[in-house]
Amino acid sequence: MKAMVMTRVCDLRKDRNPLELREAPKPEPRKGEVLLKVLACGVCHTEIDEIEGRTPPPGLPVILGHQVVGRVEDTGVGVDRFKKEDRVGVAWINSACGSCPFCLSGRENLCPDFQATGRDADGGYAEYLTVSQDFAYTIPEVFTDVEAAPLLCAGAIGYRSLNLTGLRDGQRLGLTGFGASGHLVLLMARHKFPKTRVYVFARSGKEQQFARELGAVWTGAPDDKLPEKLDAVIDTTPVWKPMVEALHNLDAGGRLVVNAIRKENSDQDCLLNLDYPTHLWMEKEIKSVANVTRRDVAEFLKLAAEIPIRPQVELYPLGEANRALLDIKERRIRGAKVLRVS
Ligand SMILES: [Zn+2]
Ligand SMILES: [Zn+2]
């Protein structure tokens, strides 16, 4: 099968084609696994973190991609949840131990043995992949293959982030960064919290305009001053400065939820500008979002189908995954990037 394979950790700005289109062995489904023919796979900023070594795969070569929509082509022994031809999704959570205190308390996203699709196991930048039936999801009919792909990470982790804010209807929500996840959170927030006003901080004018089209009441640059304080902010940027600005913009008792697997260290020194009374006092909180649970993915797919959320997608052929990653790195963003595999 054809696959875009990661063979090295590198700086994407200098080494602009880190993934290689290769012939790889077609995987075979083991006990409890399904073999999927990949239809579409979303492209996520986390893949850049893997390539640049901030969350490197434990072994190379590896096939990236954790927002996979595929059709069941074969099933291993004991598979009873899916049959051939079913349309199935695979998300970032590839497995968890099932027996640790985190797994047993509904927090399998925090499991010490958490394994990620497209990092610890081969992912969807390929024509086929295998996955345990317990970590696969039926894709609602209402979505096309390419629409469904970004729901599996950008959407699901956005859903988790929005839940972690503890927001109530009518409270004010800020979004810093407006990529794949941000635009889905905005659509979700408008549905779940119709009285909530959403403020979007984005660097590019195009992202700001896109946010206004989707219903943001205010848009501005990351360091623009806001007309009012916010009850919660979700940060999806890869850097630190927006966090400092967000803490400044939070009202008393407000919460900043940081949805980023890693932060780049380019502007880390701006943390020295943190001023306790301005940024932290008055019970302001910071909470990071780590991974997703299967429940997040399943609940979000259901909600997204009800609304329905229609992600805005830009399509790339499998062989042009490097270009899709560079477009994210260099912020040519409008919605979500998706590889159309077959
Ligand atoms: Zn992702
Ligand atoms: Zn566990």
Side-chain angles (χ1 to χ4, degrees), residues 42-47 50 65-67 91-92 117 150 152-155 157 259 261:
V43 178
C44 178
H45 193 280
T46 297
E47 273 113 46
E50 293 183 57
H66 55 265
Q67 314 184 75
W92 176 247
T117 309
L152 290 158
C153 177
I157 197 145
N259 170 7
I261 187 165

Side-chain angles (χ1 to χ4, degrees), residues 96-100 103 111-112:
C97 81
S99 55
C100 73
C103 284
C111 175

